[in-house]
Amino acid sequence: MAAKTKTIAVRGPVLTFKDDPFKVGLEAAMRYESDAIVAMTGGKITHFGPAGAVRSKLPPGTAIKNYGKDTLITAGFIDSHVHFPQTPMIAAYGEQLLDWLNKYTFPTEQRYADKDFARRVAKVFLQENLRNGITSGCIYCTVYPQSVDALFEEAEKLGMRLAAGKVLMNRNAPEKLLDTTKSGYDDSKSLIRKWHGRGRLLYAITPRFAPTSTPDQLEATGALWKEHPDCYMQTHVSENKGEVAWVKELFPDRKGYLDVYDHYMLCGPRAVFGHGIHLTDEEMQRMHVSGSAISHCPTSNFFLGSGYFNLARAMKKERPVRVGLGTDLGAGTSFSILATLNEAYKAAQLNGNALSAGHAFYLATRGTAHAMYLEDKIGSIAPGMEADIVVLDLKSTPIIEYRMSHCKDFDEALFIQMTMGDDRAVLATYIAGQLAYSRPKQKRA
Amino acid sequence: MAAKTKTIAVRGPVLTFKDDPFKVGLEAAMRYESDAIVAMTGGKITHFGPAGAVRSKLPPGTAIKNYGKDTLITAGFIDSHVHFPQTPMIAAYGEQLLDWLNKYTFPTEQRYADKDFARRVAKVFLQENLRNGITSGCIYCTVYPQSVDALFEEAEKLGMRLAAGKVLMNRNAPEKLLDTTKSGYDDSKSLIRKWHGRGRLLYAITPRFAPTSTPDQLEATGALWKEHPDCYMQTHVSENKGEVAWVKELFPDRKGYLDVYDHYMLCGPRAVFGHGIHLTDEEMQRMHVSGSAISHCPTSNFFLGSGYFNLARAMKKERPVRVGLGTDLGAGTSFSILATLNEAYKAAQLNGNALSAGHAFYLATRGTAHAMYLEDKIGSIAPGMEADIVVLDLKSTPIIEYRMSHCKDFDEALFIQMTMGDDRAVLATYIAGQLAYSRPKQKRA
């Protein structure tokens, strides 16, 4: 591991966040250095600051990769809600949530009983993450433990910080995809022992959503989380109105959808709830008090016609809810976090608000780390943080390059990137201080 | 012009439409040939059919460019609503329609008094059209006649079939951007004489929207159109609720927004109304009866938070309205028609409907030609039609290539393209039978 203790340094404009702009305002939260150096050793960031000040402090002989003024270095992007097994079924046509699950998702997920298949998809999925500057995620596998092993084995090779887990699902799905309360508990427990805290890997206890678990399984899930409170708990809530109505039917004694999870002790720090579009004010309050997080997945919410999450409402200063960004592939339509931010802006606009580029980039990095209680490890650039970074090319296509020639300031440049950028904007991705992806050279039309 | 009378032939899978799938169903309307030849001479398509049948009928020595089985040849895309002067201001942050106009659009458009500037932008704009397979459009210029000359001069060099016109606007905008009823009429009349019907160019009489024209100007505009009924008339209607309310204040005697235009004789064949999101049922009926068209611009409607147009409602079989697709740049966020169809699907889903890929590709080609009363000239592939075609690469990015390896049929392949594809999917664009754009070779990660 000699190579990994060598210092690697990159130079260019750097954007990072010291605090939460939704709470303290953008000026206080955001740090922009127009010419900075970030040095990384042993998986951690060791130096960060203006190039002139940092250069002399680096170990003698440190090579500095200068990306130049038309780039932007930020913390790696984090995807707080994504289903890796759905990679082969992105763009499945014509249905809203519940029919989409039955028609496309459940048939696809049955293929993951085959670990070799799972491994092949995991490789494609993780490579696509790197191509899009995504360095961490909170990931759903399938009901099959071998699909979790496959993903973690591949992520371990790359040294990525990931949370993932086996789906718990003992009803309302095809027979082959069902576990039982006992097998689900036992399999999850084994996987936690094997993977949770191994290197950078973390386990996420993963009941798919209330309709596919019996009360009995939800209870066992709550017990399991209590036994392993430093694990994640991820599930879905209030994505689609039909789903909300169905949950009401299935759990008539509960006050609402979130209360089902709450009742079974599934709210709290490190609980990550996908979507939450239709949560009531009371439920938002409960999210806030319990320290639970919502993953906002705009491309998916539009694609399935679920609605448009009101981010400003969730972030209300009097009871802020932790919110992360999610691609939610394969209902999501893009691995690109920039494309996802474009859609987050559109969701905000449909709610009558705007989402500034600074707030958006916070959301994609430190904000999602905050939602996942990982902001002491990832999501920002500072000495001591884990060295996951992405280098963006600010002129990645002919039309973006042209648009940048009419750009007046950094805020606008950032907004142009999130509105018009895609995977091509990712010039390089570093995982734990090592170059993990570098964009091939492009010819221009 | 010897080169232009030479026959050029392309070979590959071809998709085209013989009729309107919203009326007769997809099966009756759509034609797919898995291995076809399209031959073009003198700007027109001369042959189209299965490769085996067509080959022997071509003039001796015709070279056939074989794009191969992983491509798709279609009619060129048509953009029925776009503002070329807004090219330098795509991704202008934070406002909804009326504030966005005042803060970004009006300051930008003042630069087009300078014809050289207008020409430089027109070149970029048209090149970006070609890069995205857009071969025709209905285009807003600025209030300055020289901005129209610049666009038409550049389009003429490329041989494109375009409609465009000078914005008419005599109130509620900065002084420098205002014409008068008389100067607007006179300048438009001169431009019509100069450009309408010259080669493939068409003139569009272009009152920006009701709030920026006095009743007097709208009346003069109606008179002008009556004098030149084969010109287009393009404007905006019912895009944003604040706008609708403002029109009610400005024109208290009219029944509604559309009725303002109707009153001044601005409804009818070749009237193209941008947006129409908030039109009432009665107004939709009037659209149908008058033969007017709506341009559906989903990326713009989301970006400005205007809403999501209900395409299925407009297409109702008992009173179908002509609807075309529009990028509406610079409020739109992409020149890519594929990306625009992705957002059209999402708008449909938010309305509780799905938009099939076949219907979507119809919309982007023959459907928009139908909306513009040009379906006898462009929008489909058949002998006698003008030879504007686009060749799509069905495996244009690593993730699309992977997704295509799990694709079961042509419908799914088409839906994958519109959900995940962008400018990279455009391999070649032909204008009037001549290769006008060819994608540079790409390296893959």
Side-chain angles (χ1 to χ4, degrees):
Chain A
M1 302 293 276
K4 298 210 174 170
T5 60
K6 218 181 109 184
T7 298
I8 291 177
V10 294
R11 178 173 174 182
V14 170
L15 169 71
T16 190
F17 295 89
K18 302 169 284 179
D19 204 337
D20 180 347
F22 289 95
K23 285 181 189 150
V24 303
L26 205 50
E27 207 172 329
M30 187 167 116
R31 179 174 176 191
Y32 174 68
E33 294 287 348
S34 60
D35 182 16
I37 287 175
V38 182
M40 307 172 277
T41 317
K44 297 273 179 74
I45 292 168
T46 52
H47 304 75
F48 164 52
V54 169
R55 198 165 14 195
S56 62
K57 296 178 187 152
L58 298 177
T62 301
I64 301 170
K65 168 78 179 162
N66 190 347
Y67 284 102
K69 68 180 175 43
D70 290 333
T71 66
L72 182 68
I73 299 168
T74 80
F77 298 133
I78 310 171
D79 183 354
S80 58
H81 184 99
V82 61
H83 299 257
F84 101 81
Q86 294 172 15
T87 306
M89 53 163 280
I90 302 166
Y93 168 74
E95 308 295 343
Q96 301 221 348
L97 178 63
L98 302 176
D99 295 320
W100 175 86
L101 280 171
N102 287 316
K103 185 164 172 186
Y104 297 110
T105 313
F106 291 155
T108 299
E109 291 195 3
Q110 291 180 39
R111 303 185 63 180
Y112 292 79
D114 172 1
K115 186 174 173 184
D116 286 341
F117 179 76
R119 184 185 306 285
R120 288 197 300 275
V121 178
K123 281 181 199 232
V124 170
F125 171 81
L126 293 172
Q127 186 58 31
E128 202 60 24
N129 272 253
L130 299 179
R131 286 186 68 255
N132 285 281
I134 299 170
T135 53
S136 284
C138 198
I139 305 171
Y140 287 66
C141 302
T142 67
V143 75
Y144 308 113
Q146 57 269 38
S147 69
V148 185
D149 285 332
L151 179 72
F152 276 141
E153 285 163 19
E154 294 305 315
E156 191 172 44
K157 288 181 201 165
L158 296 167
M160 292 174 83
R161 180 167 285 290
L162 292 186
K166 177 202 116 64
V167 163
L168 295 160
M169 174 157 73
N170 70 351
R171 65 167 170 174
N172 291 322
E175 191 67 34
K176 279 188 179 171
L177 279 182
L178 298 181
D179 55 15
T180 66
T181 297
K182 179 162 175 16
S183 74
Y185 174 92
D186 290 348
D187 287 346
S188 298
K189 188 117 191 157
S190 300
L191 289 164
I192 291 169
R193 288 206 181 105
K194 187 169 176 187
W195 292 111
H196 185 65
R198 177 160 148 181
R200 303 182 75 196
L201 303 174
L202 299 161
Y203 194 81
I205 297 165
T206 308
R208 178 166 226 126
F209 69 147
T212 48
S213 287
T214 58
D216 186 57
Q217 182 168 58
L218 291 173
E219 194 171 343
T221 304
L224 180 65
W225 197 23
K226 202 169 177 188
E227 290 153 29
H228 303 277
D230 54 337
C231 282
Y232 287 84
M233 192 299 298
Q234 63 181 344
T235 189
H236 298 79
V237 75
S238 295
E239 175 177 2
N240 166 290
K241 287 180 179 170
E243 171 209 18
V244 175
W246 191 23
V247 171
K248 239 174 217 162
E249 272 175 42
L250 291 169
F251 299 90
D253 295 346
R254 303 276 63 87
K255 273 189 296 183
Y257 195 163
L258 186 67
D259 189 48
V260 175
Y261 296 124
D262 211 2
H263 180 77
Y264 294 107
M265 312 295 282
L266 296 172
C267 290
R270 282 176 301 284
V272 181
F273 290 95
H275 312 297
I277 301 170
H278 308 289
L279 289 172
T280 64
D281 285 339
E282 195 184 335
E283 288 174 317
M284 280 289 182
Q285 175 67 23
R286 182 61 196 139
M287 280 278 176
H288 164 73
V289 169
S290 64
S292 304
I294 294 171
S295 179
H296 173 28
C297 308
T299 77
S300 166
N301 297 160
F302 285 138
F303 183 73
L304 293 180
S306 304
Y308 30 96
F309 178 72
N310 191 331
L311 180 65
R313 172 177 170 244
M315 292 303 204
K316 260 192 187 169
K317 280 199 179 171
E318 53 275 29
R319 54 119 192 79
V321 174
R322 289 172 190 248
V323 178
L325 190 73
T327 63
D328 191 26
L329 293 164
T333 52
S334 180
F335 275 96
S336 169
I337 291 296
L338 297 175
T340 305
L341 292 178
N342 179 19
E343 302 269 280
Y345 180 80
K346 291 172 177 180
Q349 283 282 72
L350 287 175
N351 280 297
N353 309 305
L355 173 66
S356 90
H359 287 81
F361 272 76
Y362 167 78
L363 197 66
T365 56
R366 188 179 176 125
T368 301
H370 174 68
M372 293 179 68
Y373 291 81
L374 283 173
E375 65 195 292
D376 59 332
K377 295 189 175 60
I378 58 172
S380 55
I381 292 180
M385 298 295 289
E386 297 177 3
D388 295 339
I389 65 172
V390 55
V391 185
L392 300 178
D393 172 4
L394 301 184
K395 299 182 172 177
S396 58
T397 71
I399 190 66
I400 294 175
E401 183 164 11
Y402 175 74
R403 180 62 183 85
M404 288 291 288
S405 73
H406 289 87
C407 172
K408 63 179 193 313
D409 58 27
F410 177 68
D411 286 346
E412 190 175 335
L414 211 51
F415 190 62
I416 290 167
Q417 299 308 313
M418 70 181 253
T419 304
M420 304 173 76
D422 55 36
D423 52 302
R424 285 171 282 190
V426 176
L427 201 51
T429 304
Y430 289 78
I431 299 284
Q434 302 293 312
L435 183 65
Y437 167 76
S438 185
R439 190 187 68 187
K441 289 217 184 333
Q442 309 282 333
K443 266 199 199 170
R444 283 292 175 75
Chain B
M1 300 293 275
K4 297 209 173 169
T5 59
K6 217 179 109 185
T7 299
I8 290 178
V10 295
R11 178 174 173 180
V14 170
L15 169 71
T16 190
F17 295 88
K18 300 169 284 177
D19 203 339
D20 180 347
F22 290 95
K23 284 182 189 152
V24 303
L26 205 49
E27 209 171 325
M30 187 167 116
R31 178 173 176 190
Y32 174 67
E33 293 288 347
S34 60
D35 182 15
I37 287 176
V38 181
M40 307 172 279
T41 316
K44 297 274 178 75
I45 294 170
T46 51
H47 303 75
F48 164 52
V54 168
R55 198 166 12 197
S56 61
K57 296 177 188 152
L58 297 178
T62 301
I64 302 171
K65 169 78 180 164
N66 189 347
Y67 283 103
K69 67 180 175 47
D70 291 333
T71 66
L72 183 67
I73 299 169
T74 81
F77 299 134
I78 309 170
D79 182 353
S80 58
H81 185 101
V82 61
H83 299 256
F84 101 81
Q86 295 173 15
T87 306
M89 54 162 280
I90 302 168
Y93 168 74
E95 308 296 342
Q96 301 219 350
L97 178 64
L98 301 176
D99 295 322
W100 175 87
L101 279 172
N102 286 318
K103 186 164 171 186
Y104 297 111
T105 312
F106 290 154
T108 299
E109 290 194 3
Q110 292 179 40
R111 301 184 65 182
Y112 291 79
D114 173 0
K115 186 173 173 186
D116 286 340
F117 180 76
R119 184 185 307 285
R120 288 197 299 275
V121 178
K123 280 180 200 241
V124 170
F125 170 81
L126 293 172
Q127 186 57 30
E128 201 60 23
N129 273 252
L130 298 180
R131 286 186 68 255
N132 286 281
I134 299 170
T135 52
S136 283
C138 197
I139 305 171
Y140 288 65
C141 302
T142 67
V143 74
Y144 307 113
Q146 57 269 40
S147 69
V148 185
D149 285 331
L151 179 72
F152 275 140
E153 284 163 17
E154 294 306 315
E156 190 172 45
K157 288 182 201 164
L158 296 167
M160 293 174 81
R161 180 168 285 291
L162 292 185
K166 176 201 118 66
V167 163
L168 295 160
M169 175 158 75
N170 69 353
R171 64 167 171 174
N172 290 321
E175 191 67 36
K176 279 190 182 172
L177 279 182
L178 298 181
D179 54 15
T180 65
T181 297
K182 175 156 178 17
S183 74
Y185 174 91
D186 290 346
D187 287 345
S188 298
K189 189 115 190 157
S190 300
L191 288 164
I192 291 169
R193 290 206 180 106
K194 186 166 176 188
W195 292 110
H196 184 64
R198 175 160 150 180
R200 303 183 75 197
L201 304 174
L202 299 161
Y203 194 82
I205 297 165
T206 308
R208 177 165 227 127
F209 68 148
T212 47
S213 287
T214 57
D216 185 58
Q217 182 165 58
L218 292 173
E219 195 172 341
T221 304
L224 180 64
W225 197 24
K226 205 170 175 189
E227 291 154 26
H228 302 276
D230 54 337
C231 283
Y232 287 84
M233 192 300 298
Q234 61 180 345
T235 189
H236 298 79
V237 74
S238 294
E239 175 177 2
N240 166 291
K241 287 180 180 171
E243 171 210 18
V244 175
W246 192 24
V247 171
K248 240 176 217 159
E249 272 176 43
L250 291 170
F251 299 89
D253 296 344
R254 302 276 65 84
K255 275 190 297 183
Y257 196 162
L258 186 67
D259 189 47
V260 174
Y261 296 123
D262 212 2
H263 180 77
Y264 294 106
M265 313 295 282
L266 296 172
C267 290
R270 283 175 301 283
V272 181
F273 290 96
H275 312 298
I277 302 170
H278 308 289
L279 289 173
T280 64
D281 285 339
E282 194 184 335
E283 288 174 315
M284 280 289 181
Q285 174 68 26
R286 183 63 196 137
M287 281 277 176
H288 163 73
V289 169
S290 64
S292 304
I294 295 172
S295 178
H296 173 28
C297 309
T299 77
S300 165
N301 297 160
F302 285 140
F303 183 74
L304 293 180
S306 305
Y308 29 98
F309 178 71
N310 191 332
L311 180 64
R313 172 177 169 245
M315 292 302 203
K316 260 191 188 170
K317 280 198 181 175
E318 54 274 30
R319 54 119 192 79
V321 174
R322 288 170 190 249
V323 178
L325 190 73
T327 62
D328 191 25
L329 293 162
T333 53
S334 179
F335 275 95
S336 170
I337 291 295
L338 296 175
T340 305
L341 292 178
N342 178 21
E343 304 270 278
Y345 180 81
K346 291 173 176 179
Q349 283 282 72
L350 287 173
N351 280 298
N353 308 306
L355 173 66
S356 90
H359 287 82
F361 272 77
Y362 167 77
L363 197 65
T365 55
R366 188 178 174 125
T368 300
H370 174 66
M372 291 179 69
Y373 290 78
L374 283 173
E375 66 196 295
D376 59 332
K377 296 189 175 60
I378 57 171
S380 55
I381 293 180
M385 298 294 291
E386 296 177 3
D388 296 339
I389 65 172
V390 54
V391 185
L392 299 177
D393 171 4
L394 301 183
K395 299 183 171 175
S396 59
T397 71
I399 190 65
I400 293 175
E401 183 164 13
Y402 175 73
R403 180 61 183 85
M404 287 292 288
S405 72
H406 289 85
C407 172
K408 65 179 190 313
D409 58 27
F410 177 68
D411 286 347
E412 190 174 335
L414 211 52
F415 190 62
I416 290 167
Q417 299 309 314
M418 71 181 250
T419 304
M420 305 173 76
D422 55 36
D423 51 303
R424 286 170 282 189
V426 176
L427 201 52
T429 304
Y430 289 78
I431 300 283
Q434 302 293 312
L435 182 65
Y437 167 77
S438 183
R439 190 186 70 187
K441 288 216 182 337
Q442 308 283 331
K443 266 199 199 169
R444 281 292 174 75

